[in-house]
Amino acid sequence: MPDTLLPDGILTPARPDPAHVPAAPASAALARPRARRAGMAGRRFLSPLLIVLAWQAASSAGLISPQTLASPWQIGRTALALSADGTLGRNLLVSLGRAGAGFALAFAAGVVLALISGLSRLGEDVVDAPMQMLRTLPALALVPLFILWFGIGEVPKVALVALGGVFPIYLNLFKGIRSVDPKLLEMARTLRLGRRDTIRHVVLPGALPDLLVGLRLSVGISWLMLVVAEQVNASSGIGHMMMDAQDFLRTDIIMVGLLVYALLGLGSDQGVRWLERHLLRWQPPSPGYRA
Amino acid sequence: MSAPASGGMPATVLVRGLERRFGNTTVLDRLDLSVGAGEFVALLGRSGSGKTTLLRTLTGLDPVQTGEVRVPAAQAVVFQESRLLPWKRVWENVALGLEGADARGRAEVALEEVGLGHRLAAWPLTLSGGEAQRAGIARALVREPSFLMLDEPFASLDALTRLRMQDMVGALWRRHRCAVLLVTHDVDEALLLADRAVVLDKGRIRASFPIALPRPRRHADPDFARLRAALLDALDVRAVDQAA
């Protein structure tokens, strides 16, 4: 059976092509990538599925107590119930509001500060040093101070998200502005472009890829900050829902909260990727990039 | 030996006693050069002869320290690398900084003229080396320069593309009749295109050769070969060959 000659023996029966198989491995290699990608996608989902099945089996058999970890089935039912009675939606909106407001502040402040320090030497002297010092502070360690300053309302939560998210935006945009190709800047001078037009047509678009890198990091950090902020003195939000559930040993609700956080992170990351594809469509697609 | 003024033509570009030093190194040494209106001058010289510095001074990228430089305001440069903005489509690159009505229309006409009418909306990173260089030339021509500088514009192209581009530049020059300064280290290129070849050495114009060959020029022409030998001599190529 010539099938066994191929390294990917599992895949070949799907497309039985006697004309191809006896030929040299070269032609098989040409035909392979598509089948292989489909097969790999399937394979990648296989092991998580097996883990969930084993988890469910262990829960059903009583090997895992629901107070340690709820079963996948139970988590699904709780998720539906929480959605049906509006608990999940209400808390999700609160969390989204905090993350959105904090991230918007981080983005605005990061962009403005990076423009100031990126576009002028004076601005760099004034802005960059304090930013470089502040960024070494672990933002999460500021929670006690923020509570003293802002109380336990919405302000410290939004401020924490903003503080965590501002640095990746600032640092990456600053670097992007400063590393614009000097040859392009010279070209702009020979075209007699003014400072304004040079910034608009050359510097800012040139810094955009770096800004998007910063954006992606910033979005990730914003969620992390939100999680911490919501587990400290919150009376609403996904984090609060989870802390509440802890008091009643409801691991199913805690797991639903975790899932929601994961989905939020995944969704926002996909959003940034979409933005990248759209805004950087002038870049040739890099081989091996998988969105 | 200083550069003889090009006979009778009004000078578009005039350089007198230009000096440029970096520390103790003299890069341009009391250099004189003039380019007449509509004259095509090739500037030859080995690496380190001061070609780049002279060109940067003429474009205004480098300041004039000592001496006098007169260049027209309507000038344009084509660089060795096309230096297109990768985030702007080809026509947007050509139209960049254009003033007046219908910048896009003028950019498109210029692109048609260099044979890029079919790539108007392409992204620069998808262009071949020759196409990118054509776009760079269109970006210069659309400004209707009376003085065009070409900084080794074909140096990074393959041999066949280079020949085609040289033809194209010759044709464009005959149509637009602007003064041209072509910086090159390719003697054949200078002989194919220029009215005059000047050799820069140690920051001074060391020799100036009028090229009175009829156009279109052929490598096989015996006068071509004679001028070629003379130019190579001026560039010290023979001497180096014998020493080696």
Side-chain angles (χ1 to χ4, degrees):
Chain A
M1 199 44 197
D3 269 15
T4 52
L5 292 176
L6 297 168
D8 268 336
I10 321 162
L11 298 174
T12 41
R15 30 170 64 207
D17 190 349
H20 271 91
V21 178
S27 69
L30 282 176
R32 200 180 303 146
R34 239 171 92 198
R36 177 177 226 164
R37 217 176 303 150
M40 266 172 61
R43 242 178 11 208
R44 284 169 64 84
F45 285 113
L46 200 63
S47 71
L49 192 69
L50 284 177
I51 291 171
V52 171
L53 285 177
W55 172 10
Q56 180 63 51
S59 294
S60 303
L63 294 174
I64 304 176
S65 106
Q67 278 151 31
T68 308
L69 188 61
S71 72
W73 177 250
Q74 180 59 41
I75 293 169
R77 281 180 45 177
T78 306
L80 283 179
L82 288 174
S83 322
D85 72 3
T87 315
L88 191 59
R90 202 173 53 242
N91 286 311
L92 182 59
L93 272 183
V94 170
S95 292
L96 276 176
R98 287 172 186 150
F103 174 74
L105 276 176
F107 184 79
V111 167
V112 168
L113 290 170
L115 288 179
I116 293 173
S117 68
L119 295 176
S120 85
R121 295 285 162 192
L122 177 67
E124 182 183 355
D125 291 343
V126 174
V127 172
D128 195 54
M131 286 302 278
Q132 296 291 348
M133 289 179 207
L134 281 176
R135 103 189 153 93
T136 61
L137 285 179
L140 293 177
L142 291 171
V143 169
L145 202 56
F146 274 27
I147 289 177
L148 283 180
W149 287 351
F150 305 119
I152 55 168
E154 291 301 298
V155 178
K157 299 176 180 61
V158 171
L160 201 63
V161 173
L163 187 75
V166 73
F167 295 105
I169 302 267
Y170 170 81
L171 293 170
N172 282 284
L173 182 55
F174 177 70
K175 170 188 158 251
I177 290 174
R178 285 300 169 85
S179 55
V180 167
D181 187 353
K183 290 186 167 177
L184 294 182
L185 293 173
E186 275 184 8
M187 181 277 299
R189 277 177 66 195
T190 65
L191 294 187
R192 307 286 182 256
L193 280 195
R195 181 174 161 78
R196 232 192 149 82
D197 280 344
T198 303
I199 290 172
R200 186 171 142 217
H201 296 297
V202 185
V203 177
L204 294 185
L208 190 61
D210 285 302
L211 174 63
L212 286 167
V213 170
L215 187 74
R216 202 147 143 198
L217 288 171
S218 175
V219 165
I221 291 179
S222 293
W223 291 122
L224 189 68
M225 293 290 145
L226 181 75
V227 170
V228 175
E230 289 195 328
Q231 293 186 355
V232 180
N233 286 310
S235 55
S236 59
I238 298 293
H240 164 73
M241 189 182 86
M242 290 165 74
M243 293 308 282
D244 229 23
Q246 184 198 329
D247 294 342
F248 301 99
L249 304 177
R250 291 288 302 273
T251 54
D252 51 342
I253 298 184
I254 295 179
M255 292 302 289
V256 170
L258 280 175
L259 265 176
V260 171
Y261 276 141
L263 288 176
L264 286 174
L266 188 69
S268 55
D269 198 60
Q270 292 293 324
V272 177
R273 278 175 188 244
W274 177 86
L275 210 60
E276 279 179 355
R277 275 200 302 278
H278 179 71
L279 291 175
L280 305 182
R281 62 193 189 281
W282 49 269
Q283 287 182 340
S286 54
Y289 181 83
R290 247 190 345 188
Chain B
M1 214 191 309
S2 66
S6 42
M9 274 190 279
T12 297
V13 175
L14 197 65
V15 178
R16 287 271 169 265
L18 179 63
E19 278 193 21
R20 176 88 174 146
R21 291 172 204 286
F22 296 107
N24 284 329
T25 323
T26 303
V27 181
L28 296 177
D29 181 13
R30 282 163 292 151
L31 182 138
D32 296 330
L33 175 72
S34 73
V35 181
E39 189 186 17
F40 197 130
V41 174
L43 179 68
L44 291 152
R46 292 186 289 174
S47 311
S49 58
K51 287 181 304 201
T52 307
T53 307
L54 174 58
L55 196 86
R56 290 179 60 90
T57 309
L58 292 176
T59 58
L61 287 173
D62 278 5
V64 179
Q65 282 178 335
T66 315
E68 184 195 353
V69 171
R70 277 201 348 238
V71 285
Q75 52 160 279
V77 200
V78 176
F79 298 98
Q80 182 179 338
E81 331 81 18
S82 59
R83 301 198 188 185
L84 300 169
L85 297 175
W87 44 84
K88 288 194 180 290
R89 296 182 186 276
V90 168
W91 76 264
E92 291 173 315
N93 264 286
V94 174
L96 186 65
L98 277 190
E99 282 163 13
D102 196 23
R104 178 172 190 166
R106 282 148 68 203
E108 289 179 357
V109 169
L111 281 162
E112 301 275 357
E113 198 179 356
V114 297
L116 269 188
H118 59 299
R119 307 290 322 251
L120 297 176
W123 296 111
L125 293 181
T126 66
L127 299 180
S128 69
E131 286 175 331
Q133 221 35 332
R134 282 166 195 262
I137 292 171
R139 180 176 60 193
L141 282 181
V142 77
R143 278 143 237 278
E144 294 170 11
S146 52
F147 178 41
L148 175 65
M149 286 163 276
L150 305 167
D151 184 10
E152 303 189 23
F154 316 125
S156 53
L157 301 178
D158 66 85
L160 287 175
T161 311
R162 190 181 311 145
L163 287 177
R164 212 170 303 144
M165 295 286 285
Q166 286 165 350
D167 268 1
M168 189 190 77
V169 164
L172 289 172
W173 171 69
R174 279 192 295 280
R175 207 169 320 144
H176 290 265
R177 281 291 158 188
C178 50
V180 175
L181 184 68
L182 168 70
V183 174
T184 181
H185 47 229
D186 182 342
V187 170
D188 285 357
E189 186 168 291
L191 291 173
L192 277 176
L193 291 168
D195 294 318
R196 185 157 59 98
V198 295
V199 175
L200 191 64
D201 186 43
K202 297 193 183 80
R204 306 198 65 170
I205 301 290
R206 177 167 166 181
S208 177
F209 296 85
I211 306 168
L213 304 174
R215 298 168 200 263
R217 293 172 177 164
R218 285 174 220 296
H219 291 80
D221 188 333
D223 287 333
F224 191 104
R226 201 162 27 247
L227 268 168
R228 190 169 189 276
L231 264 175
L232 286 173
D233 253 356
L235 284 162
D236 272 350
V237 173
R238 291 296 147 83
V240 170
D241 279 353
Q242 279 162 12

